[in-house]
Amino acid sequence: MSGRQDPESNDATTPTSWKTYLLTDIDGDKATAPLSAYCFMTGFIDAVCFSAIFVWCAFQTGNTVQLGLALARLFNGQHDYSFHIADQQALCSLITFILGASIARIGDKMGCKTRAWLALGTLIQTLFTMAAAIAIWKNGQTSVANSRADPAWTNTLSFVCVGFMSASMGLQGIMGKRTNTQFTTTVVLTTTWCELMADPQLFNFRRLVISRDHKILAIGSLFLGGFLGRALVDVIGSAGTLGVGTGLRFIISIWWLFVPGKATKR
């Protein structure tokens, strides 16, 4: 009989056992639920941002191209040197997304797949979402823009809100990527669409195919998040919707603590 205690057992109540439990890598194959929730939050948060200013705080491809277009205006012969509000918001989103993604480096020290880091990192996302909710609540502007030329958010507090939302998505994207599952980053789903359409088992409907089914689940979760996010914005506004998002992210952070650990090779 071995004298070693199983950190997953009910008897693991000592501080050392709890530390071992928290620093155990999760089994990515059994993390479908929280990763699907990550994809849901991508659509949910993006719905708030896009409805107000037509900027995606999670999809930085568009923001990067938009900044390239802004720079190109300097050479179109019209000498438009103004820094348009939409370009300012895109730049704010891009910079804060990168800063949020940089926080994920903490996971390199704790272990990017450990329960402790996944719970802590998601809790940080929760705090960012809460800060965004407070900022836009104090902002006092409307939640839905009439047109691209007339964004709903234009003042300083709105930039604070966009920054915190984008930072939360940057952190989530890196954390999702580091789990190394079929959900990839949980943020950029263009790649997920491409991988889904390229899957050799795409039309094999006679059995479950994880590489296909998890990608479909990720896309569906994103769509559902966007749908419900916009529906809530229309009913309770941006601040209330982000408040709901704060609660959802807190639940996800606790969820990570109960994901089964990776089986130990004997």
Side-chain angles (χ1 to χ4, degrees), residues 220-257:
S221 298
L222 176 79
F223 180 86
L224 181 62
F227 174 80
L228 293 179
R230 177 52 195 256
L232 281 176
V233 167
D234 288 336
V235 175
I236 60 177
S238 297
T241 303
L242 288 173
V244 173
T246 299
L248 292 175
R249 272 189 157 151
F250 180 74
I251 292 172
I252 299 170
S253 68
I254 301 300
W255 205 337
W256 282 117
L257 297 175

Side-chain angles (χ1 to χ4, degrees), residues 98-109:
I98 293 171
L99 292 175
S102 299
I103 297 175
R105 292 292 181 180
I106 298 174
D108 294 342
K109 303 295 183 182

Side-chain angles (χ1 to χ4, degrees), residues 21-256:
Y21 179 83
L22 292 174
L23 294 179
T24 298
D25 286 357
I26 59 104
D27 186 344
D29 293 336
K30 298 178 180 178
T32 302
L35 288 171
S36 296
Y38 265 13
C39 294
F40 176 90
M41 290 308 302
T42 298
F44 191 89
I45 297 296
D46 262 332
V48 177
C49 191
F50 189 79
S51 296
I53 59 175
F54 298 99
V55 167
W56 304 108
C57 61
F59 308 145
Q60 296 305 319
T61 302
N63 294 335
T64 303
V65 173
Q66 183 173 334
L67 292 173
L69 297 177
L71 185 62
R73 284 199 304 269
L74 299 176
F75 308 98
N76 66 0
Q78 299 179 7
H79 305 291
D80 182 2
Y81 299 115
S82 59
F83 195 11
H84 297 183
I85 183 68
D87 301 331
Q88 296 176 35
Q89 291 164 335
L91 180 61
C92 172
S93 179
L94 178 60
I95 291 175
T96 52
F97 182 94
I98 293 171
L99 292 175
S102 299
I103 297 175
R105 292 292 181 180
I106 298 174
D108 294 342
K109 303 295 183 182
M110 299 177 61
C112 58
K113 295 184 181 180
T114 61
R115 293 188 182 99
W117 166 241
L118 290 168
L120 175 61
T122 308
L123 183 60
I124 295 173
Q125 296 171 34
T126 303
L127 296 176
F128 284 168
T129 309
M130 180 189 296
I134 294 173
I136 210 60
W137 172 56
K138 292 290 187 180
N139 172 47
Q141 294 183 307
T142 59
S143 301
V144 179
N146 295 320
S147 66
R148 288 181 180 271
D150 184 25
W153 300 347
T154 55
N155 63 18
T156 302
L157 281 175
S158 69
F159 278 86
V160 174
C161 176
V162 172
F164 275 116
M165 284 194 295
S166 300
S168 74
M169 297 314 305
L171 177 56
Q172 177 189 301
I174 300 304
M175 291 178 64
K177 180 63 176 177
R178 292 288 179 83
T179 59
N180 194 28
T181 65
Q182 298 296 330
F183 288 86
T184 61
T185 67
T186 73
V187 173
V188 183
L189 267 71
T190 302
T191 301
T192 305
W193 272 110
C194 293
E195 292 178 351
L196 173 63
M197 299 312 298
D199 195 311
Q201 302 297 319
L202 178 61
F203 298 109
N204 186 353
F205 302 119
R206 296 183 178 180
R207 65 185 182 88
L208 295 176
V209 180
I210 291 179
S211 62
R212 175 199 64 196
D213 299 342
H214 281 189
K215 289 181 177 67
I216 293 174
L217 185 58
I219 293 168
S221 298
L222 176 79
F223 180 86
L224 181 62
F227 174 80
L228 293 179
R230 177 52 195 256
L232 281 176
V233 167
D234 288 336
V235 175
I236 60 177
S238 297
T241 303
L242 288 173
V244 173
T246 299
L248 292 175
R249 272 189 157 151
F250 180 74
I251 292 172
I252 299 170
S253 68
I254 301 300
W255 205 337
W256 282 117

